[in-house]
C-alpha cells in the first residue's frame, strides 16, 4: 500500500483536484477515498486496464516563490485559495483511453460518486510525459 512506484516513460498522468464542501475534513473522506483507490488498483491494473500507479496528496498551503513566475506573492496566494482543492489524486496510466474506460466502469463510478457527495467540485486534467529523471 505504501510502496514506491515506478513510472515508465511514455505514460499519461491524470491530476484530479478534489475540493471538499465547507465543513468536510479530509478525515471524513479517508475511508471512501481509500476504497476508491483500492478499486482502481485491484481492478484496472493489468495490461487491459492500464493503471500503473497512483498517489494521493493533501494540500499543505505552501506556494513556491522560486518556482512561480508572473504574479506577485499576494496574487499567487489569492489564486491558490480559489480552487486549489484539499486533495490531489495523481494516477499514471498506459493510455488516456484506458483511464477513461476504467472510470466509465460501474464499479469505479459507484465509489467515485460516494466521494463526490463530499465535494463542491472535482476536476481531472490529463498530461503526457515529456521527461523524467533521477539523480546520477
Amino acid at each position: 500500500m505504501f510502496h514506491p512506484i515506478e513510472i515508465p516513460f511514455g505514460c499519461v498522468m491524470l491530476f484530479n483536484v478534489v475540493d471538499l464542501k465547507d465543513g468536510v475534513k479530509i478525515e471524513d473522506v479517508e475511508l471512501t477515498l481509500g476504497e476508491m483507490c483500492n478499486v482502481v488498483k485491484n481492478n484496472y491494473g493489468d495490461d487491459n486496464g492500464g493503471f500503473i500507479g497512483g498517489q494521493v496528496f493533501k494540500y499543505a498551503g505552501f506556494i513556491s516563490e522560486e518556482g512561480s513566475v508572473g504574479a506577485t506573492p499576494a496574487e499567487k496566494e489569492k489564486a491558490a485559495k480559489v480552487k486549489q482543492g484539499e486533495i490531489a489524486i495523481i494516477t499514471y496510466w498506459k493510455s488516456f483511453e484506458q483511464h477513461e474506460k476504467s472510470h466509465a466502469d460501474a464499479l469505479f463510478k459507484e465509489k467515485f460518486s460516494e466521494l463526490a457527495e463530499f465535494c463542491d467540485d472535482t476536476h481531472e486534467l490529463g498530461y503526457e510525459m515529456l521527461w523524467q529523471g533521477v539523480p546520477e
Side-chain angles (χ1 to χ4, degrees):
M1 182 166 152
F2 296 106
H3 301 289
I5 58 177
E6 292 184 26
I7 308 304
F9 186 78
C11 69
V12 296
M13 182 269 288
L14 280 290
F15 184 82
N16 191 330
V17 176
V18 178
D19 184 34
L20 299 175
K21 292 178 180 175
D22 287 341
V24 176
K25 299 180 194 121
I26 291 176
E27 295 80 14
D28 299 331
V29 299
E30 281 182 315
L31 180 61
T32 301
L33 185 59
E35 289 174 346
M36 184 185 74
C37 290
N38 271 324
V39 163
V40 172
K41 178 179 71 126
N42 295 331
N43 293 282
Y44 310 113
D46 59 14
D47 287 339
N48 291 328
F51 177 70
I52 296 167
Q55 301 155 322
V56 177
F57 293 86
K58 73 174 183 175
Y59 182 66
F62 45 79
I63 300 170
S64 171
E65 290 299 319
E66 298 302 322
S68 301
V69 178
T72 68
E75 291 169 329
K76 290 173 195 164
E77 186 173 336
K78 182 179 176 184
K81 288 181 180 176
V82 174
K83 278 292 180 191
Q84 86 281 346
E86 287 82 8
I87 300 169
I89 304 169
I90 300 169
T91 56
Y92 303 92
W93 298 81
K94 292 181 180 177
S95 73
F96 178 68
E97 294 74 23
Q98 288 172 310
H99 169 272
E100 292 295 276
K101 183 177 178 183
S102 75
H103 283 42
D105 186 63
L107 183 60
F108 176 81
K109 281 186 160 201
E110 176 186 337
K111 289 299 174 186
F112 187 70
S113 66
E114 289 175 22
L115 178 64
E117 290 178 24
F118 295 98
C119 300
D120 281 330
D121 182 42
T122 70
H123 55 275
E124 192 166 31
L125 307 172
Y127 297 83
E128 295 176 341
M129 184 183 292
L130 298 178
W131 178 88
Q132 71 176 357
V134 296
E136 293 184 22

